[in-house]
Coordinates of all heavy atoms in Angstrom, one line a residue:
N1653 N -34.9 64.3 16.8 CA -35.4 64.9 15.6 C -36.6 64.2 14.9 O -36.9 64.4 13.8 CB -34.3 65.0 14.5 CG -33.2 66.1 14.9 OD1 -33.6 67.0 15.6 ND2 -32.0 66.0 14.4
I1654 N -37.1 63.2 15.7 CA -38.2 62.4 15.2 C -39.6 62.9 15.6 O -39.8 63.3 16.8 CB -38.1 60.9 15.6 CG1 -37.0 60.3 14.8 CG2 -39.4 60.2 15.4 CD1 -37.3 60.1 13.3
M1655 N -40.6 63.0 14.7 CA -41.9 63.3 15.1 C -42.8 62.1 14.6 O -42.7 61.7 13.5 CB -42.4 64.5 14.4 CG -43.9 64.8 14.7 SD -44.5 66.4 13.9 CE -43.6 67.6 14.9
L1656 N -43.6 61.5 15.5 CA -44.4 60.4 15.2 C -45.8 60.8 14.9 O -46.3 61.8 15.5 CB -44.5 59.4 16.4 CG -43.1 58.8 16.8 CD1 -43.3 57.8 18.0 CD2 -42.5 58.0 15.7
S1657 N -46.5 60.1 14.0 CA -47.9 60.4 13.6 C -48.6 59.1 13.2 O -48.0 58.1 13.2 CB -47.9 61.5 12.5 OG -47.3 61.0 11.3
D1658 N -49.9 59.3 12.9 CA -50.7 58.1 12.4 C -50.6 57.0 13.4 O -50.3 55.8 13.1 CB -50.2 57.6 11.0 CG -51.1 56.6 10.4 OD1 -52.2 56.5 10.8 OD2 -50.6 55.8 9.6
G1659 N -50.9 57.3 14.7 CA -50.9 56.3 15.7 C -49.5 55.7 16.0 O -49.4 54.6 16.3
Q1660 N -48.5 56.6 15.8 CA -47.1 56.2 16.1 C -46.6 55.2 15.1 O -45.7 54.5 15.3 CB -46.9 55.7 17.5 CG -47.1 56.8 18.5 CD -46.7 56.4 19.9 OE1 -46.8 57.2 20.9 NE2 -46.2 55.2 20.1
R1661 N -47.3 55.1 13.9 CA -46.9 54.2 12.8 C -46.0 54.9 11.8 O -45.3 54.2 11.1 CB -48.1 53.6 12.1 CG -49.0 52.7 12.9 CD -50.3 52.4 12.3 NE -50.1 51.9 10.9 CZ -50.0 50.6 10.6 NH1 -50.0 49.7 11.6 NH2 -49.9 50.2 9.4
T1662 N -46.0 56.2 11.8 CA -45.1 56.9 10.8 C -44.1 57.7 11.6 O -44.5 58.4 12.6 CB -46.0 57.9 10.0 OG1 -46.9 57.1 9.2 CG2 -45.1 58.7 9.0
A1663 N -42.9 57.7 11.2 CA -41.8 58.4 11.8 C -41.2 59.4 10.8 O -40.8 58.9 9.7 CB -40.7 57.5 12.4
R1664 N -41.1 60.7 11.1 CA -40.6 61.7 10.2 C -39.4 62.4 10.9 O -39.6 62.9 12.1 CB -41.7 62.7 9.8 CG -41.2 63.8 8.8 CD -42.3 64.5 8.2 NE -43.1 65.2 9.2 CZ -42.9 66.5 9.6 NH1 -41.9 67.2 9.1 NH2 -43.7 67.0 10.6
R1665 N -38.3 62.6 10.2 CA -37.2 63.4 10.7 C -37.4 64.8 10.4 O -37.6 65.2 9.2 CB -35.9 62.9 10.2 CG -34.7 63.4 10.9 CD -33.3 63.0 10.3 NE -33.0 63.6 9.1 CZ -32.9 63.0 7.9 NH1 -33.1 61.7 7.8 NH2 -32.6 63.7 6.8
T1666 N -37.4 65.7 11.4 CA -37.8 67.1 11.2 C -36.7 68.0 10.9 O -36.9 69.2 10.5 CB -38.6 67.6 12.4 OG1 -37.8 67.5 13.6 CG2 -39.9 66.8 12.6
A1667 N -35.5 67.6 11.2 CA -34.3 68.5 11.0 C -33.0 67.7 10.8 O -33.0 66.5 11.2 CB -34.2 69.4 12.3
S1668 N -32.0 68.3 10.3 CA -30.7 67.8 10.2 C -30.7 66.5 9.4 O -31.7 66.2 8.7 CB -30.0 67.6 11.5 OG -28.7 67.2 11.4
Y1669 N -29.7 65.7 9.5 CA -29.6 64.4 8.8 C -29.5 63.2 9.8 O -29.5 62.0 9.3 CB -28.3 64.4 8.0 CG -27.0 64.5 8.8 CD1 -26.4 63.3 9.2 CD2 -26.4 65.7 9.1 CE1 -25.2 63.4 10.0 CE2 -25.3 65.8 9.9 CZ -24.7 64.6 10.3 OH -23.5 64.7 11.0
N1670 N -29.5 63.5 11.1 CA -29.3 62.4 12.0 C -30.3 62.6 13.2 O -31.3 63.3 13.1 CB -27.9 62.2 12.5 CG -27.4 63.5 13.2 OD1 -28.1 64.5 13.3 ND2 -26.1 63.5 13.7
Q1671 N -30.0 61.9 14.3 CA -30.9 62.0 15.5 C -32.3 61.5 15.1 O -33.3 62.0 15.6 CB -31.0 63.4 16.1 CG -29.7 63.9 16.6 CD -29.2 63.3 17.9 OE1 -30.0 62.6 18.5 NE2 -28.0 63.6 18.3
G1672 N -32.4 60.4 14.3 CA -33.6 59.9 13.8 C -33.9 58.4 14.1 O -34.5 57.7 13.3
V1673 N -33.4 57.9 15.2 CA -33.5 56.5 15.5 C -34.9 56.3 16.2 O -35.3 57.0 17.1 CB -32.4 56.0 16.5 CG1 -32.6 54.6 16.8 CG2 -31.0 56.3 15.9
V1674 N -35.6 55.2 15.7 CA -36.9 54.8 16.3 C -36.8 53.3 16.5 O -36.1 52.6 15.8 CB -38.1 55.1 15.3 CG1 -38.3 56.6 15.3 CG2 -37.9 54.6 14.0
V1675 N -37.6 52.8 17.5 CA -37.6 51.4 17.9 C -39.0 50.9 18.0 O -39.9 51.7 18.3 CB -36.8 51.2 19.2 CG1 -36.8 49.8 19.7 CG2 -35.4 51.7 19.1
S1676 N -39.3 49.7 17.7 CA -40.6 49.1 17.8 C -41.1 49.1 19.3 O -40.3 49.0 20.2 CB -40.6 47.7 17.3 OG -39.8 46.8 18.1
S1677 N -42.4 49.3 19.4 CA -42.9 49.4 20.8 C -43.0 48.1 21.5 O -43.0 48.1 22.7 CB -44.3 50.0 20.7 OG -45.2 49.2 19.9
L1678 N -43.0 47.0 20.8 CA -43.0 45.7 21.3 C -41.8 44.8 20.9 O -41.3 45.1 19.8 CB -44.3 45.0 21.0 CG -45.6 45.6 21.5 CD1 -46.8 44.8 20.9 CD2 -45.7 45.5 23.0
P1679 N -41.5 43.8 21.7 CA -40.4 42.9 21.2 C -40.8 42.2 19.9 O -42.0 42.0 19.6 CB -40.2 41.9 22.3 CG -40.8 42.6 23.5 CD -41.9 43.4 23.0
L1680 N -39.8 41.9 19.1 CA -40.0 41.3 17.8 C -40.0 39.7 18.0 O -39.0 39.1 18.3 CB -38.8 41.6 16.8 CG -39.0 41.2 15.4 CD1 -40.2 41.8 14.7 CD2 -37.7 41.5 14.6
P1681 N -41.2 39.1 17.7 CA -41.2 37.6 17.9 C -40.4 36.9 16.8 O -40.1 37.5 15.8 CB -42.7 37.3 17.7 CG -43.4 38.6 17.8 CD -42.5 39.7 17.4
R1682 N -40.0 35.7 17.1 CA -39.2 34.9 16.2 C -40.1 34.6 14.9 O -41.3 34.4 14.9 CB -38.8 33.6 16.8 CG -37.8 33.7 17.9 CD -36.5 34.2 17.4 NE -35.4 34.1 18.3 CZ -34.9 35.1 19.0 NH1 -35.4 36.3 18.9 NH2 -33.9 34.9 19.9
N1683 N -39.4 34.7 13.8 CA -40.0 34.4 12.4 C -41.1 35.3 12.1 O -42.0 35.0 11.3 CB -40.5 32.9 12.4 CG -39.3 31.9 12.5 OD1 -38.3 32.1 11.8 ND2 -39.5 30.9 13.3
K1684 N -41.1 36.5 12.6 CA -42.1 37.6 12.3 C -41.3 38.7 11.6 O -40.3 39.3 12.1 CB -42.8 38.1 13.5 CG -43.6 37.1 14.3 CD -44.9 36.7 13.5 CE -45.7 35.8 14.4 NZ -47.0 35.5 13.7
L1685 N -41.7 39.0 10.4 CA -41.0 40.1 9.6 C -41.7 41.4 9.8 O -42.9 41.6 9.5 CB -41.1 39.7 8.1 CG -40.5 40.8 7.1 CD1 -39.1 41.1 7.4 CD2 -40.8 40.4 5.7
L1686 N -41.0 42.4 10.4 CA -41.6 43.7 10.6 C -41.0 44.6 9.5 O -39.8 44.8 9.4 CB -41.2 44.3 12.0 CG -41.6 45.7 12.3 CD1 -43.1 45.9 12.1 CD2 -41.1 46.1 13.6
E1687 N -41.9 45.2 8.7 CA -41.5 46.0 7.5 C -41.9 47.4 7.6 O -43.0 47.7 8.2 CB -42.1 45.4 6.2 CG -41.4 44.2 5.7 CD -41.9 43.8 4.3 OE1 -43.1 43.6 4.2 OE2 -41.1 43.6 3.4
V1688 N -41.1 48.3 7.1 CA -41.4 49.7 6.9 C -41.2 50.1 5.5 O -40.5 49.5 4.7 CB -40.6 50.7 7.8 CG1 -40.8 50.3 9.3 CG2 -39.1 50.6 7.5
Q1689 N -41.9 51.2 5.1 CA -41.8 51.7 3.7 C -41.2 53.1 3.7 O -41.6 53.9 4.5 CB -43.2 51.7 3.0 CG -43.1 52.2 1.6 CD -44.5 52.0 0.9 OE1 -45.1 50.9 1.0 NE2 -44.9 53.0 0.1
V1690 N -40.2 53.3 2.8 CA -39.6 54.6 2.7 C -40.6 55.5 1.9 O -41.0 55.2 0.8 CB -38.3 54.5 2.0 CG1 -37.7 55.9 1.8 CG2 -37.3 53.6 2.7
E1691 N -41.0 56.6 2.6 CA -42.0 57.5 2.0 C -41.5 58.8 1.5 O -42.0 59.4 0.5 CB -43.2 57.7 3.0 CG -44.0 56.4 3.3 CD -45.2 56.7 4.1 OE1 -45.2 57.7 4.9 OE2 -46.2 56.0 4.0
K1692 N -40.5 59.3 2.1 CA -39.9 60.6 1.7 C -38.4 60.6 1.8 O -37.8 59.9 2.6 CB -40.4 61.8 2.5 CG -41.9 62.0 2.3 CD -42.4 63.2 3.2 CE -43.8 63.5 3.0 NZ -44.3 64.7 3.8
Q1693 N -37.7 61.3 0.8 CA -36.3 61.4 0.8 C -35.9 62.9 0.6 O -36.6 63.7 -0.1 CB -35.7 60.5 -0.2 CG -35.7 59.0 0.1 CD -34.9 58.2 -0.8 OE1 -35.1 58.3 -2.0 NE2 -34.0 57.4 -0.3
D1694 N -34.7 63.2 1.0 CA -34.1 64.5 0.8 C -32.7 64.3 0.2 O -31.8 63.9 0.8 CB -34.0 65.3 2.1 CG -33.5 66.7 1.9 OD1 -33.1 67.1 0.8 OD2 -33.6 67.5 2.9
P1695 N -32.6 64.6 -1.1 CA -31.3 64.3 -1.9 C -30.1 65.1 -1.4 O -29.0 64.9 -1.9 CB -31.7 64.6 -3.3 CG -32.8 65.6 -3.3 CD -33.6 65.3 -2.0
Q1696 N -30.3 66.2 -0.6 CA -29.1 67.0 -0.2 C -28.2 66.2 0.7 O -27.1 66.7 0.9 CB -29.6 68.3 0.5 CG -30.2 68.1 1.9 CD -30.5 69.4 2.6 OE1 -29.6 70.2 2.6 NE2 -31.7 69.6 3.1
W1697 N -28.7 65.1 1.3 CA -27.8 64.4 2.2 C -27.3 63.1 1.6 O -27.8 62.7 0.6 CB -28.6 64.0 3.5 CG -29.3 65.1 4.2 CD1 -30.6 65.4 4.3 CD2 -28.6 66.2 4.9 NE1 -30.9 66.5 5.0 CE2 -29.6 67.1 5.4 CE3 -27.3 66.5 5.2 CZ2 -29.4 68.2 6.2 CZ3 -27.0 67.7 5.9 CH2 -28.0 68.5 6.4
S1698 N -26.3 62.5 2.2 CA -25.8 61.2 1.7 C -26.2 60.1 2.8 O -26.7 60.5 3.9 CB -24.3 61.2 1.6 OG -23.7 61.5 2.8
G1699 N -26.1 58.9 2.4 CA -26.5 57.8 3.3 C -28.0 57.7 3.3 O -28.7 58.5 2.6
S1700 N -28.5 56.7 4.0 CA -30.0 56.5 4.0 C -30.4 55.6 5.2 O -29.6 55.5 6.1 CB -30.4 55.8 2.7 OG -31.8 55.8 2.5
L1701 N -31.5 55.0 5.1 CA -32.1 54.3 6.2 C -31.2 53.2 6.7 O -30.6 52.5 5.9 CB -33.5 53.7 5.8 CG -34.3 52.9 6.8 CD1 -34.8 53.9 7.9 CD2 -35.4 52.2 6.1
Q1702 N -31.1 53.0 8.0 CA -30.4 51.9 8.6 C -31.4 51.1 9.4 O -32.3 51.6 10.0 CB -29.3 52.4 9.6 CG -28.3 53.4 8.9 CD -27.3 54.0 9.8 OE1 -27.2 53.6 11.0 NE2 -26.7 55.1 9.4
V1703 N -31.1 49.8 9.5 CA -32.1 48.9 10.2 C -31.3 47.9 11.1 O -30.1 47.7 10.9 CB -32.9 48.1 9.1 CG1 -33.7 49.0 8.3 CG2 -32.0 47.1 8.3
G1704 N -32.0 47.3 12.0 CA -31.4 46.4 12.9 C -32.2 46.0 14.1 O -33.5 46.2 14.1
V1705 N -31.6 45.6 15.2 CA -32.3 45.3 16.4 C -31.5 45.7 17.6 O -30.2 45.8 17.5 CB -32.6 43.7 16.5 CG1 -33.6 43.3 15.5 CG2 -31.3 42.9 16.5
I1706 N -32.1 45.9 18.8 CA -31.4 46.1 20.1 C -32.0 45.0 21.0 O -33.1 44.6 20.9 CB -31.7 47.5 20.6 CG1 -33.2 47.8 20.8 CG2 -31.0 48.6 19.7 CD1 -33.4 49.1 21.5
G1707 N -31.1 44.6 22.0 CA -31.4 43.5 22.9 C -31.9 44.0 24.2 O -31.8 43.2 25.2
F1708 N -32.5 45.2 24.3 CA -33.0 45.7 25.6 C -34.2 46.6 25.3 O -34.3 47.2 24.2 CB -31.9 46.4 26.4 CG -31.2 47.5 25.6 CD1 -31.7 48.8 25.6 CD2 -30.2 47.2 24.7 CE1 -31.1 49.8 24.9 CE2 -29.6 48.2 23.9 CZ -30.1 49.5 24.0
P1709 N -35.1 46.8 26.3 CA -36.2 47.8 26.1 C -35.7 49.2 25.9 O -34.7 49.6 26.5 CB -37.0 47.6 27.4 CG -36.6 46.3 28.0 CD -35.1 46.1 27.6
P1710 N -36.4 49.9 25.0 CA -35.9 51.3 24.7 C -36.4 52.4 25.7 O -36.1 53.6 25.4 CB -36.5 51.5 23.3 CG -37.7 50.7 23.3 CD -37.5 49.5 24.2
D1711 N -37.1 52.0 26.8 CA -37.7 53.0 27.6 C -36.7 54.1 28.1 O -37.1 55.2 28.1 CB -38.4 52.3 28.8 CG -39.3 51.2 28.4 OD1 -38.8 50.1 27.9 OD2 -40.5 51.3 28.6
R1712 N -35.6 53.6 28.6 CA -34.6 54.6 29.2 C -33.4 54.8 28.3 O -32.4 55.4 28.8 CB -34.2 54.0 30.5 CG -35.3 53.9 31.5 CD -34.8 53.4 32.9 NE -35.9 53.2 33.8 CZ -35.7 52.8 35.1 NH1 -34.5 52.6 35.6 NH2 -36.8 52.7 35.9
L1713 N -33.5 54.4 27.0 CA -32.3 54.6 26.2 C -32.2 56.1 25.8 O -33.1 56.7 25.3 CB -32.5 53.8 24.9 CG -31.4 53.9 23.8 CD1 -30.0 53.5 24.4 CD2 -31.7 53.1 22.6
S1714 N -31.0 56.6 26.0 CA -30.6 58.0 25.5 C -30.0 57.8 24.1 O -28.9 57.4 23.9 CB -29.6 58.6 26.4 OG -29.2 59.9 25.9
F1715 N -30.9 58.1 23.1 CA -30.5 57.8 21.7 C -29.3 58.7 21.2 O -29.4 59.9 21.3 CB -31.7 58.0 20.8 CG -32.8 57.0 20.9 CD1 -33.8 57.1 21.8 CD2 -32.7 55.8 20.2 CE1 -34.8 56.1 21.9 CE2 -33.6 54.8 20.3 CZ -34.7 55.0 21.2
P1716 N -28.3 58.1 20.6 CA -27.2 58.8 20.0 C -27.6 59.4 18.7 O -28.7 59.2 18.2 CB -26.1 57.8 19.9 CG -26.9 56.5 19.7 CD -28.1 56.6 20.5
G1717 N -26.7 60.1 18.0 CA -26.9 60.7 16.7 C -27.3 59.7 15.6 O -28.1 60.0 14.8
T1718 N -26.7 58.5 15.7 CA -27.0 57.5 14.7 C -27.0 56.1 15.3 O -26.3 55.9 16.4 CB -25.9 57.5 13.6 OG1 -26.1 56.5 12.6 CG2 -24.5 57.3 14.1
A1719 N -27.6 55.1 14.7 CA -27.8 53.8 15.3 C -26.5 53.1 15.5 O -26.3 52.3 16.5 CB -28.8 53.0 14.5

Side-chain angles (χ1 to χ4, degrees):
N1653 287 337
I1654 285 293
M1655 177 180 290
L1656 300 179
S1657 60
D1658 188 22
Q1660 297 188 179
R1661 292 168 55 88
T1662 298
R1664 179 170 62 91
R1665 194 181 74 243
T1666 58
S1668 188
Y1669 64 90
N1670 59 0
Q1671 298 286 353
V1673 180
V1674 290
V1675 179
S1676 62
S1677 59
L1678 295 174
L1680 185 63
R1682 292 295 193 256
N1683 295 316
K1684 299 285 186 179
L1685 174 63
L1686 176 59
E1687 283 188 305
V1688 300
Q1689 181 170 317
V1690 179
E1691 294 188 331
K1692 292 184 180 180
Q1693 287 188 308
D1694 186 348
Q1696 70 170 313
W1697 307 111
S1698 62
S1700 190
L1701 182 68
Q1702 303 171 17
V1703 300
V1705 294
I1706 58 174
F1708 54 93
D1711 306 70
R1712 299 183 180 180
L1713 175 61
S1714 177
F1715 286 93
T1718 178

